[in-house]
Amino acid sequence: MREGHEGTGPGAITPDGCAVELYARLPVGDEPDVIAAAVPTGARILELGSGVGRMTHALLERGFEVTAVDESAEMLERVRGARTICGPIERLDLGETFDVVLLASFLVHAGDVEVRRGLLRTCVRHLAKGGCVLIQREGEDYHTNVPRERVDPAGFTVRIVSAEPVGDGVDSVHAEYVFPDATWTQTFRARPLTREQFEEALAETGLKVDRYLTEDRMWVRTVPMADT
């Protein structure tokens, strides 16, 4: 288990506190459409932090070639139709490049700055010339609008119960997922980033914002500074 991370509930729990059975139940939402609109048709995508393949499967259905990476073998067992690679993202070096590198699930908000830098360096290392890195940021009020809850149309409730400072600009976030037949919790460490701090973090590893893809600026298309 990664420091400051834990999870409870039925089934396997990953090193960052995610429950495999929970993520197998969660719907994918509109993220695949956002991605598909921002990248070339049929692009080769390196998906970092694929989990059980919610996004993977939707991207495959849209005609993309996907390599799915996760540090949890239990998560990757649920992925179908894509090449899978198990290991820590921040140390990944496949010796090949992709049209698109995808860093979703708010991974860019890793509490450990060195882990964040490692994640972004992995993105750059695997990017083909002319390619792009798509990043999912947290909502800008995620750490201040607490507690909050959302009832999903699929019939479950997501609660962000608390976001408590633990030092050095990092918060310990506690979430609950309540289904009619089971409840899961996850506690994880996350570093809130303003738009300016996010763009500074990109610049550290040679990336810059090409454009924000959604009105809430949670999805971002980034490119290497060297390409401009």
Side-chain angles (χ1 to χ4, degrees), residues 28-84:
V28 69
D30 62 357
E31 289 95 339
D33 293 328
V34 172
I35 294 164
V39 304
T41 302
R44 295 182 69 236
I45 298 177
L46 178 65
E47 183 187 3
L48 302 175
S50 65
V52 296
R54 288 182 304 147
M55 200 97 73
T56 317
H57 299 143
L59 292 171
L60 290 170
E61 290 170 1
R62 288 160 175 76
F64 297 104
E65 179 186 334
V66 184
T67 296
V69 179
D70 203 277
E71 68 178 352
S72 167
E74 292 92 346
M75 287 281 195
L76 290 175
E77 286 174 2
R78 307 295 183 101
V79 176
R80 298 288 180 265
R83 170 191 179 198
T84 60

Side-chain angles (χ1 to χ4, degrees), residues 23 25-26 58 96 107 117 155 168 199 221:
Y23 278 83
R25 294 188 182 200
L26 296 180
E96 58 185 292
L107 290 175
R117 288 172 180 151
D168 189 34
E199 294 183 3
R221 187 180 193 273

Side-chain angles (χ1 to χ4, degrees), residues 4-218:
H5 295 247
E6 62 179 321
T8 67
I13 305 292
T14 68
D16 59 354
C18 294
V20 176
E21 297 295 334
L22 165 64
Y23 278 83
R25 294 188 182 200
L26 296 180
V28 69
D30 62 357
E31 289 95 339
D33 293 328
V34 172
I35 294 164
V39 304
T41 302
R44 295 182 69 236
I45 298 177
L46 178 65
E47 183 187 3
L48 302 175
S50 65
V52 296
R54 288 182 304 147
M55 200 97 73
T56 317
H57 299 143
L59 292 171
L60 290 170
E61 290 170 1
R62 288 160 175 76
F64 297 104
E65 179 186 334
V66 184
T67 296
V69 179
D70 203 277
E71 68 178 352
S72 167
E74 292 92 346
M75 287 281 195
L76 290 175
E77 286 174 2
R78 307 295 183 101
V79 176
R80 298 288 180 265
R83 170 191 179 198
T84 60
I85 295 169
C86 187
I89 297 167
E90 60 268 31
R91 298 200 292 271
L92 186 71
D93 190 352
L94 299 179
E96 58 185 292
T97 58
F98 298 80
D99 305 313
V100 179
V101 180
L102 179 60
L103 188 69
S105 302
F106 314 133
L107 290 175
V108 74
H109 291 272
D112 186 325
V113 171
E114 285 307 313
V115 169
R116 182 190 71 207
R117 288 172 180 151
L119 295 173
L120 292 173
R121 288 182 186 124
T122 292
C123 293
V124 173
R125 185 161 55 242
H126 292 90
L127 193 61
K129 185 171 179 59
C132 64
V133 179
L134 300 188
I135 299 174
Q136 184 184 26
R137 302 171 62 215
E138 291 180 337
E140 292 174 3
D141 66 347
Y142 268 32
H143 291 248
T144 54
N145 178 24
V146 288
R148 65 181 184 275
E149 75 172 38
R150 174 179 63 84
V151 179
D152 193 273
F156 63 92
T157 300
V158 182
R159 296 191 183 105
I160 305 301
V161 178
S162 59
E164 300 292 338
V166 293
D168 189 34
V170 177
D171 289 343
S172 176
V173 181
H174 183 70
E176 296 178 351
Y177 299 82
V178 182
F179 286 73
D181 62 337
T183 296
W184 285 271
T185 73
Q186 183 181 7
T187 301
F188 58 94
R189 291 188 179 178
R191 181 180 298 274
L193 299 170
T194 64
R195 181 175 175 177
E196 293 73 22
Q197 289 169 331
F198 168 69
E199 294 183 3
E200 288 170 5
L202 294 179
E204 285 182 347
T205 51
L207 290 170
K208 71 167 197 171
V209 172
D210 177 55
R211 66 182 186 273
Y212 288 91
L213 301 175
T214 52
E215 189 174 335
D216 57 14
R217 295 191 292 273
M218 287 176 64

